[in-house]
Amino acid sequence: MATTDKLDGDGDGGGQDRTMKAAVQMVAITAGVFAVGGVVLADLRFGLGVLAGGAIAVANLIVLARIVQAFLGKKGNTAPWAIIAVLKLVFLLGGVYLIMKSGVVSGVALVVGYMSLPVGAVVASLFGPKPPDEPAA
């Protein structure tokens, strides 16, 4: 089969994929560190809420990366990706609403976990692999 995983670094934009993979990994690591901190500083339930928020952040970043690759690559029809973008938003907001409504975890814990997205992205951009330089046209 000729399809490859775009986040593996084996795709056509190797350096860009490597940078995105590092960002996803750093967001996941940051979510884990925040979750351990939540358990230590609060309790297990808070830590699990932080972990849930971090998992939502990682999934959101992976789907967003694929949507952006589809739109920027312009290979084939981008209409399905537009639908996926809308569904991503619906599932993100709907899922968070259902989690909050059920009272399984606190909203603060989810927000702390979701904060792993910007923190992990910043750390990855500072210390991770740099994207390849664009050749002069």
Side-chain angles (χ1 to χ4, degrees):
M1 196 174 274
T3 60
T4 58
D5 187 5
K6 288 291 190 183
L7 292 178
D8 279 349
D10 298 334
D12 295 330
Q16 192 68 28
D17 296 335
R18 198 181 73 199
T19 304
M20 180 53 68
K21 186 176 179 183
V24 170
Q25 289 174 342
M26 187 54 65
V27 170
I29 291 168
T30 304
V33 170
F34 284 5
V36 169
V39 170
V40 170
L41 296 175
D43 59 4
L44 182 61
R45 186 173 176 181
F46 190 85
L48 289 175
V50 172
L51 189 62
I56 292 169
V58 171
N60 190 33
L61 181 60
I62 290 170
V63 173
L64 182 65
R66 294 195 185 250
I67 291 169
V68 168
Q69 283 177 345
F71 279 115
L72 293 180
K74 293 189 180 182
K75 295 178 183 174
N77 188 4
T78 58
W81 287 105
I83 294 168
I84 291 171
V86 171
L87 288 175
K88 179 190 81 75
L89 181 65
V90 168
F91 282 122
L92 176 66
L93 296 176
V96 169
Y97 172 78
L98 290 175
I99 291 171
M100 295 294 299
K101 189 76 171 168
S102 71
V104 174
V105 295
S106 75
V108 174
L110 280 177
V111 169
V112 170
Y114 202 79
M115 284 300 296
S116 64
L117 180 59
V119 171
V122 167
V123 171
S125 69
L126 291 174
F127 302 110
K130 303 298 179 227
D133 292 333
E134 294 295 322

